[in-house]
Amino acid sequence: MKVEMKRLSVDWLMEIIHLCIERIVIVDRDGMIVYIDEAYSEFIGVSFDEAVGRSVQDVIENTRMHIVAKTGRKEIEHLQPINESVMIANRYPIFIDGELVGAVGTVMFPDPDNVRHFQNKMNNLMEELNFYKKKAVNELTSKYSFDDLIGNSHSFQAAKTLGKKVAGSDSSVLLTGESGTGKELFAHAIHQSSVRSNYPFVAINCASIPEVLFESELFGYEDGAFTGAKKGGKEGLFKVANRGTVFLDEIGDMPLSMQSKLLRALQEKEVQPVGGPKTLPIDLRIIAATNRDLMKMVEEGTFRQDLFYRLNVINIEIPALRKRKEDIEAISNNLLQKLERKFYRKGTSFSPEVLRN
Ligand SMILES: Nc1ncnc2c1ncn2[C@@H]1O[C@H](COP(=O)(O)OP(=O)(O)OP(=O)(O)O)[C@@H](O)[C@H]1O
Ligand SMILES: [Mg+2]
């Protein structure tokens, strides 16, 4: 390291200091200024040449640099009044080869305007944070009921009736059907009609979570479990959903390694946060959905059979729209109404030619 550093010229070092620190002063053991940067000298109203070589006490108000240069004890975040402003000062002793040779000091926030600016910025960020926090909580409730599931065809009504019937039980439900058949709506509606409706509904899209993050997202992690992990650890989505329903959307996209961990959690009714020895009990109802053929995946070895049976306690197959064309008109009208609300329009309808086709 030392050898590498020697390759940096003084010019480089000075430029790096300027880029990293504003307002810096360096004194020797006797408290004499050996260096002061332009921003600092300008702020206190002296030139570089006037300041260097003088005692720091004569140049900077309320300084303690000469003390740090004597005691060798650093002082962090000290309030220091200068020019009728309160500055935040950090003062460090400089040791070279174990010998105390001087001290370096920095100050921040040259004027109250700057402090106010930071305060405003912080306040705005806090407001934004609260907004998202509230939003996150709102999103933990189900948004649709069975009344929002449109369609009078026999096959669709049958799926709906089955959904209503099983909503009250605590059994796992596997929703299957092609893309766009409304699997997500079914999951919401089942939760809303269940005894768990006052507890969270947490939807997890298994296709959108990177494999390496699966375990920590679902089960959480302990403080310091891995580099970059948030301090204090993080609660997993399963814990967030406790006593409610977890909707595992696109379950066919869950990696095999994760499938075993999911199965274990469902069997034991507990999760083990990453990096932690203790397990947390969880009480969940699982609704899973996929547009893939899980049976085929089981045969091919890409989906665990035991997990499949655990999820597929009740299977609701939602028929594709092209197999129940009579529902198209009602769903289209429903969509049109939603769009009207979105664009503040009223009284739009489909022309007869559109409906005939
Ligand atoms: N029967 C229905 N009644 C009302 N809206 C419906 C119905 N079926 C589908 N929709 C609407 O169609 C859209 C797609 O539905 P959804 O997202 O639930 O499909 P999906 O089965 O989850 O599809 P994918 O497999 O692609 O995820 C949604 O915006 C939903 O509002
Ligand atoms: Mg979906």
Side-chain angles (χ1 to χ4, degrees):
M1 184 66 198
K2 228 168 178 182
V3 176
E4 289 290 315
M5 281 299 286
K6 276 188 184 150
R7 289 196 199 143
L8 290 179
S9 67
V10 172
D11 290 350
W12 271 60
L13 290 173
M14 293 315 286
E15 187 56 19
I16 291 165
I17 290 171
H18 280 144
L19 290 171
C20 298
I21 316 167
E22 248 189 90
R23 297 181 197 86
I24 177 170
V25 62
I26 302 172
V27 299
D28 64 16
R29 266 220 77 165
D30 301 318
M32 297 297 176
I33 296 177
V34 292
Y35 178 78
I36 184 164
D37 78 344
E38 215 177 294
Y40 205 172
S41 54
E42 213 169 82
F43 176 60
I44 54 178
V46 293
S47 71
F48 179 84
D49 290 331
E50 284 165 353
V52 170
R54 279 170 66 195
S55 163
V56 70
Q57 286 163 277
D58 297 339
V59 180
I60 301 174
E61 271 179 82
N62 299 308
T63 187
R64 290 175 52 82
M65 290 296 292
H66 54 296
I67 298 170
V68 174
K70 280 257 155 11
T71 61
R73 275 197 294 271
K74 69 177 174 193
E75 297 181 351
I76 304 296
E77 288 169 3
H78 268 233
L79 294 180
Q80 181 181 349
I82 310 178
N83 276 0
E84 291 163 7
S85 305
V86 177
M87 315 285 289
I88 297 168
N90 288 330
R91 310 180 186 105
Y92 305 89
I94 304 173
F95 289 94
I96 301 290
D97 293 331
E99 193 193 336
L100 179 61
V101 295
V104 53
T106 62
V107 287
M108 290 192 303
F109 297 141
D111 60 55
D113 275 355
N114 247 347
V115 179
R116 227 173 287 132
H117 172 76
F118 273 95
Q119 245 161 15
N120 281 343
K121 212 168 156 181
M122 283 289 280
N123 287 346
N124 289 344
L125 284 172
M126 289 308 285
E127 253 173 52
E128 209 174 308
L129 182 66
N130 282 335
F131 171 80
Y132 285 113
K133 269 190 185 163
K134 256 192 227 146
K135 201 171 151 189
V137 171
N138 285 343
E139 283 181 355
L140 292 180
T141 56
S142 60
K143 292 190 280 280
Y144 307 100
S145 69
F146 280 111
D147 291 339
D148 296 311
L149 292 169
I150 315 286
N152 290 316
S153 63
H154 178 74
S155 56
F156 191 74
Q157 283 292 335
K160 227 169 123 171
T161 308
L162 179 58
K164 282 182 190 168
K165 205 168 105 191
V166 303
S169 82
D170 233 10
S171 310
S172 298
V173 177
L174 180 66
L175 301 165
T176 49
E178 290 177 27
S179 189
T181 44
K183 295 184 289 295
E184 196 169 338
L185 297 187
F186 262 82
H188 280 263
I190 291 171
H191 172 75
Q192 208 160 93
S193 305
S194 77
V195 289
R196 294 174 176 265
S197 63
N198 287 328
Y199 293 99
F201 173 81
V202 175
I204 301 170
N205 189 321
C206 301
S208 71
I209 303 178
E211 183 165 353
V212 291
L213 291 185
F214 244 110
E215 205 177 345
S216 61
E217 280 294 306
L218 267 49
F219 304 157
Y221 55 79
E222 294 278 307
D223 199 351
F226 49 86
T227 355
K230 212 175 72 185
K231 211 165 162 35
K234 187 185 165 209
E235 206 169 57
L237 291 169
F238 275 28
K239 188 83 181 79
V240 170
N242 200 21
R243 306 186 73 179
T245 304
V246 162
F247 174 43
L248 294 172
D249 202 3
E250 320 283 0
I251 187 77
D253 291 282
M254 181 174 275
L256 262 174
S257 63
M258 198 55 212
Q259 291 175 24
S260 339
K261 288 177 176 149
L262 172 65
L263 181 69
R264 198 175 325 125
L266 299 183
Q267 275 166 348
E268 310 293 332
K269 298 194 192 311
E270 59 183 27
V271 293
Q272 183 168 19
V274 177
K278 61 173 197 277
T279 52
L280 307 168
I282 41 155
D283 167 18
L284 295 175
R285 200 247 183 106
I286 302 285
I287 303 177
T290 183
N291 53 23
R292 297 171 66 165
D293 186 349
L294 285 191
M295 273 300 256
K296 197 160 150 239
M297 288 180 72
V298 168
E299 277 161 28
E300 287 166 353
T302 51
F303 201 86
R304 286 185 68 114
Q305 188 174 35
D306 40 12
L307 179 62
F308 173 73
Y309 285 125
R310 199 157 252 279
L311 298 174
N312 194 36
V313 176
I314 295 153
N315 174 220
I316 303 181
E317 167 82 29
I318 306 164
L321 198 53
R322 72 184 131 69
K323 288 185 187 149
R324 46 184 174 99
K325 291 203 168 111
E326 62 267 45
D327 286 344
I328 292 176
E329 188 174 337
I331 291 178
S332 309
N333 280 325
N334 177 259
L335 274 177
L336 193 62
Q337 277 172 19
K338 280 188 196 156
L339 290 173
E340 274 191 338
R341 251 175 279 143
K342 190 167 170 190
F343 295 106
Y344 305 105
R345 296 277 295 269
K346 246 189 147 58
T348 53
S349 61
F350 290 107
S351 60
E353 296 96 280
V354 171
L355 293 177
R356 226 177 300 129
N357 295 312

